Amino acid sequence: MVVVADGKLAFSKDRVVSATQASKNFGECRRRAKREPLFVTDRNASIETVIVDYDEFEAMAVELEQLRLQRLYDVAAQRLTAIDRDPSGETVPFSEILGDEGYNAFLALDPDDLSDGELFA
């Protein structure tokens, strides 16, 4: 379990290993990481890698995806509520809905690249 305090990770020095230690004793690092994440430092003593148990990683990935979806649903609900309050109100540009990256990808699409079967499947 990792503790977050004031937006920063908090952990003790015994959970930090150098990249050299990790490479020489990887089996031991893997065993330790089953109990708690290990933080691997580079030559400048900056943490560059975290070794974590797969089950914990999977749980984090699932929780992150659930939070992303919940955020999407919350934003959609807020927008629908705003529209319901004032249907003559401000429209939302398509570019804002998709975000810069998504909108640029949308603009780059060529409708002729998709067959009718793919389009209407």
Side-chain angles (χ1 to χ4, degrees):
M1 173 63 94
V2 176
V3 177
V4 178
D6 296 323
K8 302 272 186 184
L9 292 177
F11 50 87
S12 59
K13 285 185 178 185
D14 64 327
R15 293 175 56 190
V16 178
V17 296
S18 71
T20 303
Q21 287 174 298
S23 67
K24 288 182 179 177
N25 302 308
F26 191 64
E28 175 61 25
C29 288
R30 287 178 48 224
R31 282 188 289 285
R32 287 179 58 195
K34 289 197 177 288
R35 292 187 307 271
E36 58 187 7
L38 291 179
F39 302 90
V40 182
T41 59
D42 61 11
R43 293 176 194 229
N44 299 322
S46 298
I47 294 173
E48 65 173 18
T49 306
V50 178
I51 302 174
V52 63
D53 179 61
Y54 178 78
D55 290 337
E56 185 172 347
F57 176 78
E58 184 177 46
M60 288 188 302
V62 167
E63 184 175 353
L64 180 60
E65 182 60 21
Q66 290 171 342
L67 290 170
R68 285 178 177 157
L69 282 173
Q70 186 59 51
R71 183 172 172 229
L72 174 69
Y73 297 149
D74 290 346
V75 168
Q78 289 170 358
R79 289 181 179 177
L80 288 171
T81 301
I83 288 171
D84 287 344
R85 276 195 221 123
D86 183 14
S88 64
E90 177 183 340
T91 60
V92 178
F94 195 49
S95 59
E96 184 179 324
I97 293 169
L98 293 178
D100 290 337
E101 186 177 324
Y103 187 66
N104 289 334
F106 170 75
L107 291 177
L109 287 176
D110 182 356
D112 294 328
D113 284 347
L114 290 175
S115 68
D116 288 346
E118 291 174 305
L119 186 60
F120 296 107

